[in-house]
């Protein structure tokens, strides 16, 4: 099965008459393996940090860079981890 089939057949599947508005599978390096036609494309992105009890999401658009977003989100995540959260 191709990566696109995972998006089309599984992530964008019909569930009780509804479906996700967009979906994608990306590599850790940011490469797009597969995406729905409605998945946003542009100069922005997202950073996600998992702590012991939370997920922190940071979304950005230019002129913020991926590295800047990562630094901000990672800093908050590290703080929460230090606090036992």
């Amino acid at each position: 099965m191709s990566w696109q089939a995972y998006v089309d057949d599984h992530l964008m599947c019909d569930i009780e008459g509804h479906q996700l508005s967009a979906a994608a599978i990306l590599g850790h390096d940011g490469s797009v393996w597969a995406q729905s036609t409605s998945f946003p494309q542009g100069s922005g992105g997202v950073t996600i940090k998992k702590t012991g009890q939370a997920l922190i999401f940071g979304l950005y658009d230019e002129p913020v860079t991926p590295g800047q977003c990562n630094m901000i989100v990672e800093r908050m995540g590290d703080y929460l981890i230090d606090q036992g959260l």
Side-chain angles (χ1 to χ4, degrees), residues 6-84:
Y6 283 100
V7 171
D8 297 340
D9 299 339
H10 299 284
L11 292 174
M12 297 302 293
C13 68
D14 181 68
I15 298 178
E16 298 178 9
H18 305 287
Q19 66 180 179
L20 300 177
S21 57
I25 300 173
L26 285 76
H28 288 172
D29 63 357
S31 62
V32 178
W33 295 5
Q35 64 185 5
S36 64
T37 56
S38 56
F39 192 77
Q41 297 179 23
S43 59
V46 62
T47 296
I48 304 168
K49 170 80 173 185
K50 181 181 178 196
T51 71
Q53 298 181 32
L55 292 172
I56 302 166
F57 292 79
L59 284 73
Y60 67 92
D61 286 306
E62 284 186 343
V64 175
T65 67
Q68 291 169 324
C69 184
N70 289 346
M71 181 179 61
I72 293 166
V73 172
E74 289 286 338
R75 190 179 296 159
M76 175 57 68
D78 291 344
Y79 171 77
L80 291 179
I81 290 169
D82 288 346
Q83 299 303 308

